[in-house]
Amino acid sequence: MNTRNRPGRNPGLQPAARRPPYGLGTPAGALPARHGLALYGSAAQTPIECNTNCLVDNGRLRHHPLTNHEENQRLLAHELSVKGRFDAIVPVLKRIAGLQHEVDFCDRAQQIAREQLGFELPAQILADAWIADLDMRALYGECVMQTVRLMAAQAELNNPHRGTDEAVAFFLDSGYHAVDISPCSDGRLKGLVRYILRLPDGAVRSRKAYAGAMFDVDANVKRWIETELMRFREGRPVTADAGTRYLKVVVYHWSSSDPTHEGCAAHCSNVTRAAEAGLKRLGEFRQAIENSFCCGASVDTLLIGVDTDTDAIKVHIPDAKGEMSLHRFIDNRELYHSSANDDPSAARLKIYQAIQASSAMGGWGAGEGEPHEGMRRLIATLLINNLSQIDYVCSYQNGRYADIGHAERFISVGDGFEEFQLRNLAYFAHLYTVEEGATDMDVGIKIFGKLNIQHGLPAPVAIHYRYDSRVPGCRERTVERCLRVKAAIESRYASLSQKGLLVCGMTVQDKRPGSPIEQVEAETS
């Protein structure tokens, strides 16, 4: 549910943006019906309602020549599967609540949960229902946590590092041995890597999210050092003399429908402020490495913006020295329309020509020449990949998401679940301690105050940290961190916790690819 997208706030909104969002409480069966036409390929024959973001001829949706239709359908199936599971929780619990005074309540409740949710409910909560009614808040929180673990495990089995080797080879061929992305922690960017940029999860060195994309420079310099040390010591992914670089990317965002309210909260929905802050932070990162290790130390930077209503990206083009300007960029939505009538080869050429034209521009955004060839190839590939995502939103969301504001299902604390990445699935708070991440947590609780708490549902918090099994005692220390962070969260929001309006689940996971998620049990006094 999106409680921030209030009717009448922006009279210029397109019809698709005013529809009620499909959030918590939506029957899972309603989701496929919403997307059924496009999923089965009948959009070309059936008149549809689309806004001007899409390619429409005589009321018929058509696609961009560079769109990857097979990948779009695969990603849609993944989205429907994951979000459908979360959105089924409330209807299933409503059904179970109506049975709590039946003689065979426990057995019937477990049967419904197994069939509709894929797991069993806590037996003790069901068994105690006859005393003081069913604890629906505890059941809801447990269902969300079990669904998180179940979906993460299934995502890992269904999509084990798809396309990772090819993407890593492409990055190396473009001159990059590591790609590190820092997006804003806003849940609308949760699908950034897999959907918006269409990159395999395993090909990206890191993708830690921060409020306003304001990543920790010191922590990122440390990550750069670890990456370079691995090259020197182990030659992974290439040796230190290979001439490749480390690429740091910052991703900010805005809302084209309601730019003054539904943009980045960390920057007061001011897109210029968000972009300026991202560019400044990239400069600080690069300067820190140059000051400490001299001569640029093989670091490139890139600034990307995302319209969270349409998933169209804006790429700021570096010049020959790697410098960027807020005024020198390529708007991919414009490219989408300008190349829509071309054949695939001509459309690709137009993208490279746009990069050249942007590099040659004068005035405020003028730079000193074109970026190096590898950067040009990377930017062109990201733009091409994003064309498929623009088409994805047109095919399955009528060109603009219904939930233009927050509609997250849970708060993700710690290292996050890399196994599934979906728009508006989770609000992310990357923190080592609650004290250092207090602002991020407060924003998350405020969001869920509107989404859940004011409706009597708890804010679900999934605490997840990764450990290195090669390091003695690392798992034990990681478990201790989970317990410490959980206790601190419950202490900070004690009133919510005491009322059952805050539910925390804890898990840990080995850093090795394909490692299972391990549940951590709460300590009992």
Side-chain angles (χ1 to χ4, degrees):
M1 62 184 71
N2 172 21
T3 56
R4 295 180 66 202
N5 184 17
R6 293 186 287 274
R9 172 180 283 177
N10 186 349
L13 283 177
Q14 297 291 341
R18 291 197 295 262
R19 291 195 184 94
Y22 277 64
L24 292 176
T26 301
L31 289 167
R34 174 178 171 82
H35 303 282
L37 289 177
L39 178 61
Y40 292 103
S42 58
Q45 293 79 34
T46 306
I48 59 170
E49 176 191 355
C50 278
N51 62 39
T52 55
N53 294 318
C54 304
L55 305 174
V56 180
D57 288 334
N58 298 320
R60 316 272 187 203
L61 176 69
R62 64 185 178 92
H63 301 288
H64 192 278
L66 296 180
T67 292
N68 186 332
H69 301 287
E70 180 181 352
E71 182 71 359
N72 276 3
Q73 292 198 6
R74 188 184 70 82
L75 289 174
L76 174 65
H78 175 71
E79 179 180 0
L80 293 178
S81 173
V82 174
K83 288 189 175 179
R85 289 278 193 160
F86 283 96
D87 294 340
I89 292 174
V90 168
V92 168
L93 291 184
K94 285 182 177 180
R95 181 181 173 189
I96 290 175
L99 303 174
Q100 60 184 301
H101 299 299
E102 300 292 331
V103 176
D104 56 349
F105 165 65
C106 292
D107 292 337
R108 292 179 65 183
Q110 294 290 25
Q111 181 181 357
I112 293 171
R114 285 192 298 267
E115 293 175 353
Q116 301 296 319
L117 300 178
F119 50 79
E120 290 193 349
L121 303 175
Q124 194 61 48
I125 295 179
L126 300 181
D128 291 342
W130 70 274
I131 301 174
D133 291 329
L134 197 57
D135 188 344
M136 298 306 301
R137 291 174 177 173
L139 271 186
Y140 172 80
E142 180 65 25
C143 285
V144 171
M145 296 306 159
Q146 289 211 49
T147 302
V148 169
R149 295 191 291 269
L150 179 64
M151 290 293 94
Q154 290 186 0
E156 177 63 26
L157 291 174
N158 295 335
N159 187 32
H161 320 299
R162 180 188 179 101
T164 297
D165 292 341
E166 293 84 351
V168 170
F170 168 75
F171 287 146
L172 289 173
D173 196 39
S174 299
Y176 297 110
H177 57 263
V179 177
D180 183 339
I181 303 177
S182 289
C184 179
S185 57
D186 191 294
R188 291 168 291 182
L189 289 180
K190 183 64 177 172
L192 172 72
V193 174
R194 184 176 296 182
Y195 283 76
I196 297 174
L197 301 180
R198 299 295 173 96
L199 297 174
D201 303 338
V204 178
R205 171 71 173 87
S206 174
R207 51 176 177 274
K208 295 188 183 302
Y210 300 82
M214 294 291 92
F215 65 90
D216 186 320
V217 173
D218 293 335
N220 276 254
V221 170
K222 180 182 177 182
R223 188 178 305 121
W224 175 85
I225 294 173
E226 293 172 350
T227 302
E228 299 309 301
L229 180 62
M230 189 165 59
R231 294 176 66 210
F232 275 95
R233 297 282 297 180
E234 304 177 27
R236 290 193 296 141
V238 290
T239 56
D241 59 355
T244 55
R245 305 182 183 189
Y246 187 104
L247 176 64
K248 179 66 184 181
V249 183
V250 158
V251 181
Y252 67 96
H253 66 98
W254 75 94
S255 165
S256 57
S257 301
D258 196 356
T260 60
H261 296 94
E262 298 294 358
C264 182
H267 299 292
C268 302
S269 290
N270 186 318
V271 63
T272 301
R273 188 185 301 178
E276 287 175 341
L279 188 59
K280 182 174 184 290
R281 191 57 56 97
L282 285 172
E284 292 170 347
F285 172 72
R286 187 176 184 182
Q287 191 66 46
I289 293 176
E290 289 182 357
N291 291 347
S292 302
F293 301 93
C294 184
C295 307
S298 301
V299 171
D300 275 1
T301 58
L302 188 62
L303 182 66
I304 298 176
V306 175
D307 173 13
T308 53
D309 297 353
T310 66
D311 280 350
I313 64 173
K314 178 189 293 184
V315 182
H316 295 263
I317 308 300
D319 64 13
K321 294 184 177 181
E323 300 296 330
M324 287 174 289
S325 165
L326 298 188
H327 306 283
R328 189 173 64 252
F329 60 84
I330 294 176
D331 187 331
N332 209 31
R333 187 164 60 182
E334 294 180 1
L335 262 183
Y336 176 78
H337 286 280
S338 67
S339 58
N341 296 319
D342 299 328
D343 60 64
S345 296
R348 291 176 185 273
L349 178 61
K350 189 166 288 185
I351 290 171
Y352 280 93
Q353 290 173 337
I355 297 174
Q356 290 178 328
S358 179
S359 299
M361 70 176 291
W364 288 101
E368 298 189 29
E370 296 183 17
H372 61 81
E373 180 183 356
M375 175 63 81
R376 295 198 303 271
R377 291 184 62 210
L378 174 68
I379 291 174
T381 297
L382 294 179
L383 291 169
I384 290 171
N385 289 355
N386 183 245
L387 293 174
S388 291
Q389 182 63 17
I390 296 174
D391 246 2
Y392 180 93
V393 179
C394 284
S395 296
Y396 310 132
Q397 295 286 342
N398 297 335
R400 188 181 301 273
Y401 287 106
D403 53 347
I404 66 167
H406 290 286
E408 293 92 337
R409 276 65 172 177
F410 62 96
I411 299 174
S412 179
V413 168
D415 292 330
F417 295 89
E418 298 181 355
E419 288 75 13
F420 51 66
Q421 302 171 46
L422 288 171
R423 180 186 188 277
N424 255 343
L425 182 66
Y427 172 85
F428 187 75
H430 175 71
L431 51 90
Y432 188 85
T433 66
V434 171
E435 290 75 19
E436 70 176 4
T439 300
D440 284 0
M441 277 302 303
D442 288 347
V443 171
I445 293 297
K446 181 179 179 181
I447 289 170
F448 275 83
K450 298 177 180 179
L451 292 177
N452 283 24
I453 294 172
Q454 71 178 20
H455 302 289
L457 290 174
V461 180
I463 303 168
H464 183 70
Y465 287 101
R466 293 178 179 266
Y467 64 90
D468 191 339
S469 59
R470 298 170 299 181
V471 179
C474 186
R475 185 187 185 281
E476 290 74 16
R477 291 188 292 273
T478 304
V479 169
E480 291 175 2
R481 183 190 307 173
C482 281
L483 294 169
R484 183 177 67 249
V485 168
K486 176 178 181 291
I489 291 174
E490 291 175 342
S491 175
R492 184 174 184 85
Y493 310 105
S495 176
L496 294 178
S497 181
Q498 292 167 2
K499 297 175 183 177
L501 290 172
L502 180 72
V503 176
C504 297
M506 299 176 291
T507 51
V508 296
Q509 187 177 17
D510 192 356
K511 291 182 178 180
R512 294 175 302 171
S515 298
I517 294 174
E518 308 164 39
Q519 184 175 355
V520 176
E521 297 295 339
E523 291 182 337
T524 56
S525 55

